[in-house]
Amino acid sequence: MSSNVHQHGNDLHYPLRTVCEIPAASPLHCNFERDACDFQQGSTNNIDWTRRNRATPNRVDAIQNNIDALKTGPFHDHTQGRFHHGYYMYVESSTPAQAGDVARLISPETSGPCLEFYFHMYGRQMGTIHVYTRLSGSADLQLQWELVGDKGDTWHRAVINHNITDNYQVIFQGDIGGFLSDMAIDDITTWNETCKVFGGWGDWGNWTDCTASCGGGIQNRTRYCDNPPPPYGITCVGDDDGDMADTEQQNCNTQSCPVDGGWGSWQPAGSCSVTCGRGTEPIERTCDSPAPQHGGKQCVGPGTDTQSCDKGPCPIDGVWSPWSGFSACNVTCGGGIQLRTRLCDNPPPQHGGNNCVGDDDGDGADTDYQECNTNLCPVDGGWSQWLPWETCNLSCGRGTQRRIRTCTEPAPQYNGNGCLGDPNGDGTDEDSRPCQIQPCPVDGSWGVWTTYGPCSATCGPGTQSRSRLCDNPAPSNRGKDCPGDVDGDGREEETRSCNSGAPCPVDGMWGPWFDVSPCNVTCGGGIVVKERLCNAASPQHGGNPCAGDIDGDGREVGFDVCKTGRCPVWDAWGSWSPCTVTCGPGDRERARVCDTAGAEPGAACLGDAIGVGVDTEEETCNNGPCPGGEEDDCTAQGCPNPGILAGQTQEEAEEDGEEKSDNTALLAGAACGGIGVVLIAV
């Protein structure tokens, strides 16, 4: 057996082994515009990454339903920007995905000590993005970068200087935090040199206009942290507040300003033209408030004028107003008086003027009277005292005796009524009582009917009655009651109907209230108009209208309070979102919520026509001009290679012999594609 080991003296010599060097893999330059750049889904994924352009489905639903609070995921890609249709990779967080699901996206093998990519993490339930590396031929993952939570509606730049010298793979892992957790990545690049971490300040902008044309003002100028822009979470040196901008100011236009003259206040310059009442008086003013200075103009207008003056009211003598009508007579007969009055108010005495002529007591009133109703008053008749009882009409048994009285105390005069109970009007009245010399059974017999009494109603139907007594004779000594006297009270009554012939007056009565208009507000206390009609009982036959119906139209209008709960109000605006771009014109937005706690049910905040309870507003923003100018367009010629400035050709770069950083090249590429990136942590 032969051996490849040779010995020379005490030394052993082995043949040299040939070492096989693995060539460096190509750097990554993936913007997902044409395809997925050979990225592969993880074999253990709960859910996969998806290549998409424009807004994510979750965001589209939120926009269509006008609910800003439900927005998640990007509106556009990073490479081409807002108004184009570029592609990116994202993880969809809606059903069937659920919190805790994991999605891995694995790159092809690459090389270079620096990894750069852009990410978008926007949503109220945002989860976590992890970035791992795995050396070629190894199964071990090394965590290089991770970020959790909502970082705002913008694309952020991330830079990882991992200093790996061998070939490796990059693994992007998205952990879903909830339904509103769409996360996205774009523009993944590896570089063969270490990337700069801090940003660089751009050139100063122009000075702003001076705030004053004279007397001293201020003007400002600004520069931005965009030459190059820093990665996420980093800013330029000296940017203490992290706003990616630096401002300085200087004084300007310090020369004195011209002062135009101004009139002082008017001052009296003479006496009033009257001794009482209103008149005029002269006034004057001086040009000293301020006086003209430094070439300023003189005062404009006259220095003298007149103004009204008031010496107090002049005396006014009182004058009687016309007599009122006479009052009603205080009696209906026998002579009375009726009065009339007038007042000293046409005009009343004022400002020391005299009272009305004849107003001796100064009470401002005068009274006059006249006689009325002097005719004699009717005298109703009155009964005299009863005369003594006459002799009994029977000598035995049960008889009667009578007595009489006359209508003479007084006798009726001047159409006065006869005596009460004088049915035949003969001026006499008779009374009787039983008398007995020897008692005998006597059956009762009805006396004569009295006349019918007055009708029970002064209008419409009524009744009137008359009566008779069982006294002609009354039953005595066990005699029978009068025929038909069932209860034995010795009295019988008869009733008949009567009618005055005139219908009775019917007073009007209001019907129920009813609404005639809705409440004029939805909250905070308003008014509803009500109405009622005089129809519960309509006035008839001279009856009164409904109470308060002054114009007699049978209708009354009233008001009632309504919707007294407080109105909902908008909460304070939330913070502005970051600008969608770091340079040039962009957009930003903010939101506020309608506070309905304890408010009127169903009421909405002012301006919330459909009652969603959320309001948003958007405004433009501008962080200054982009490097090379916003209008630079290198699309036709292609974007610069790494190390070439925007607007510089490959040949010019080679001639200059200058080494341009890869960040500068990316910035130039950004200017070419019109990309706006916000680099401030949210």
Side-chain angles (χ1 to χ4, degrees):
M1 176 180 296
S2 62
S3 173
N4 290 326
V5 179
H6 303 279
Q7 183 171 1
H8 179 73
N10 294 326
D11 296 327
L12 293 177
H13 299 276
Y14 295 89
L16 295 177
R17 294 183 179 179
T18 302
V19 178
C20 181
E21 293 185 358
I22 300 176
S26 299
L28 285 175
H29 294 287
C30 182
N31 58 17
F32 303 110
E33 296 302 319
R34 294 187 177 181
D35 52 36
C37 304
D38 294 329
F39 275 77
Q40 301 295 321
Q41 306 286 348
S43 60
T44 60
N45 284 0
N46 302 111
I47 188 168
D48 288 340
W49 289 77
T50 303
R51 179 172 170 265
R52 183 173 179 84
N53 66 347
R54 301 186 182 181
T56 65
N58 275 340
R59 179 141 188 176
V60 171
D61 289 343
I63 294 171
Q64 290 175 346
N65 292 288
N66 196 27
I67 305 176
D68 288 346
L70 299 183
K71 287 182 180 179
T72 184
F75 187 74
H76 55 79
D77 82 327
H78 172 261
T79 310
Q80 298 191 29
R82 183 179 181 85
F83 301 106
H84 301 278
H85 307 309
Y87 285 83
Y88 56 90
M89 297 294 286
Y90 88 105
V91 178
E92 170 68 42
S93 61
S94 61
T95 305
Q98 57 186 346
D101 281 357
V102 174
R104 285 184 174 177
L105 186 66
I106 305 171
S107 77
E109 284 199 355
T110 185
S111 63
C114 175
L115 169 65
E116 179 185 31
F117 63 95
Y118 287 83
F119 64 92
H120 192 286
M121 299 177 71
Y122 176 48
R124 291 166 52 189
Q125 300 169 329
M126 181 54 60
T128 306
I129 293 181
H130 310 268
V131 179
Y132 299 94
T133 55
R134 182 170 61 193
L135 295 178
S136 177
S138 173
D140 296 332
L141 300 181
Q142 182 177 1
L143 178 65
Q144 300 288 354
W145 184 94
E146 66 179 354
L147 195 62
V148 62
D150 184 354
K151 303 305 174 188
D153 186 14
T154 187
W155 286 96
H156 298 285
R157 175 173 173 250
V159 172
I160 304 172
N161 286 313
H162 51 71
N163 298 320
I164 298 174
T165 58
D166 295 333
N167 292 344
Y168 61 91
Q169 290 176 291
V170 181
I171 296 94
F172 292 91
Q173 176 177 312
D175 297 350
I176 293 178
F179 183 79
L180 302 177
S181 182
D182 288 359
M183 58 189 75
I185 57 175
D186 199 2
D187 290 327
I188 303 169
T189 306
T190 58
W191 302 99
N192 288 325
E193 59 185 27
T194 300
C195 297
K196 291 184 178 180
V197 175
F198 286 96
W201 290 110
D203 294 333
W204 286 104
N206 295 327
W207 289 104
T208 61
D209 293 337
C210 191
T211 57
S213 60
C214 61
I218 299 295
Q219 56 186 173
N220 302 311
R221 66 177 181 175
T222 305
R223 62 179 179 175
Y224 296 95
C225 182
D226 58 3
N227 188 29
Y232 176 78
I234 307 298
T235 184
C236 284
V237 176
D239 185 15
D240 298 331
D241 58 2
D243 66 350
M244 305 293 288
D246 185 19
T247 302
E248 67 176 3
Q249 64 179 216
Q250 66 180 12
N251 297 327
C252 53
N253 294 341
T254 57
Q255 73 277 10
S256 297
C257 295
V259 178
D260 294 338
W263 289 112
S265 59
W266 288 102
Q267 301 296 328
S271 301
C272 190
S273 61
V274 297
T275 58
C276 69
R278 298 184 64 83
T280 59
E281 62 183 2
I283 54 175
E284 62 184 7
R285 59 182 177 175
T286 305
C287 185
D288 59 1
S289 295
Q293 300 179 61
H294 311 302
K297 298 177 182 179
Q298 292 292 327
C299 292
V300 178
T304 60
D305 200 355
T306 60
Q307 67 180 10
S308 62
C309 53
D310 191 343
K311 290 297 185 178
C314 296
I316 299 174
D317 294 338
V319 177
W320 291 112
S321 63
W323 287 104
S324 67
F326 280 104
S327 65
C329 193
N330 63 331
V331 297
T332 58
C333 60
I337 59 172
Q338 49 189 172
L339 304 175
R340 64 177 182 174
T341 60
R342 60 179 179 175
L343 300 176
C344 184
D345 61 358
N346 190 33
Q350 302 175 61
H351 317 305
N354 297 321
N355 293 333
C356 288
V357 177
D359 186 12
D360 299 329
D361 57 4
D363 66 352
D366 189 16
T367 303
D368 185 25
Y369 70 91
Q370 67 180 13
E371 293 183 348
C372 55
N373 293 343
T374 56
N375 54 295
L376 296 173
C377 294
V379 178
D380 294 337
W383 292 114
S384 65
Q385 296 294 322
W386 289 102
L387 295 177
W389 290 102
E390 297 177 352
T391 305
C392 189
N393 66 338
L394 294 177
S395 58
C396 66
R398 186 176 181 82
T400 59
Q401 58 184 158
R402 69 185 187 105
R403 61 178 179 175
I404 61 172
R405 59 180 177 176
T406 59
C407 187
T408 56
E409 294 184 6
Q413 302 177 64
Y414 314 120
N415 296 320
N417 296 319
C419 286
L420 185 64
D422 185 10
N424 53 15
D426 62 356
T428 60
D429 186 22
E430 183 176 298
D431 186 22
S432 62
R433 70 180 181 181
C435 55
Q436 178 180 350
I437 298 176
Q438 293 180 4
C440 302
V442 177
D443 293 335
S445 178
W446 291 110
V448 297
W449 290 101
T450 64
T451 58
Y452 280 101
C455 192
S456 62
T458 58
C459 60
T463 60
Q464 57 184 168
S465 61
R466 64 177 182 175
S467 63
R468 61 180 178 176
L469 300 175
C470 185
D471 61 357
N472 190 26
S476 61
N477 300 323
R478 300 184 181 181
K480 298 178 180 178
D481 292 333
C482 287
D485 188 10
V486 179
D487 57 4
D489 66 348
R491 180 182 178 86
E492 185 179 38
E493 188 170 304
E494 183 180 68
T495 302
R496 69 179 182 182
S497 60
C498 57
N499 196 318
S500 66
C504 292
V506 178
D507 292 339
M509 295 181 64
W510 290 112
W513 289 100
F514 58 90
D515 293 346
V516 297
S517 74
C519 190
N520 64 334
V521 297
T522 59
C523 60
I527 292 177
V528 61
V529 181
K530 294 179 171 290
E531 186 174 289
R532 61 178 179 176
L533 302 177
C534 187
N535 60 4
S538 300
Q540 301 179 59
H541 313 307
N544 295 320
C546 285
D549 188 9
I550 298 173
D551 56 6
D553 64 350
R555 186 184 306 270
E556 185 176 31
V557 177
F559 304 90
D560 200 0
V561 295
C562 57
K563 301 290 185 180
T564 56
R566 76 166 184 87
C567 292
V569 294
W570 290 112
D571 284 340
W573 285 104
S575 301
W576 285 107
S577 68
C579 192
T580 57
V581 297
T582 60
C583 61
D587 298 293
R588 64 178 184 175
E589 61 185 10
R590 64 178 180 177
R592 60 180 179 177
V593 179
C594 183
D595 178 15
T596 60
E600 179 71 26
C605 278
L606 183 64
D608 189 5
I610 61 176
V612 298
V614 178
D615 186 20
T616 61
E617 68 175 4
E618 183 176 281
E619 69 173 17
T620 59
C621 53
N622 194 319
N623 288 327
C626 294
E630 277 186 307
E631 294 77 22
D632 286 354
D633 186 1
C634 57
T635 304
Q637 295 79 21
C639 293
N641 292 324
I644 303 176
L645 296 175
Q648 185 181 39
T649 66
Q650 180 70 42
E651 292 73 15
E652 290 172 341
E654 293 173 354
E655 290 175 1
D656 291 342
E658 296 176 353
E659 293 184 4
K660 307 298 182 180
S661 73
D662 293 333
N663 290 339
T664 304
L666 283 181
L667 181 59
C672 172
I675 306 170
V677 184
V678 176
L679 304 176
I680 303 172
V682 178

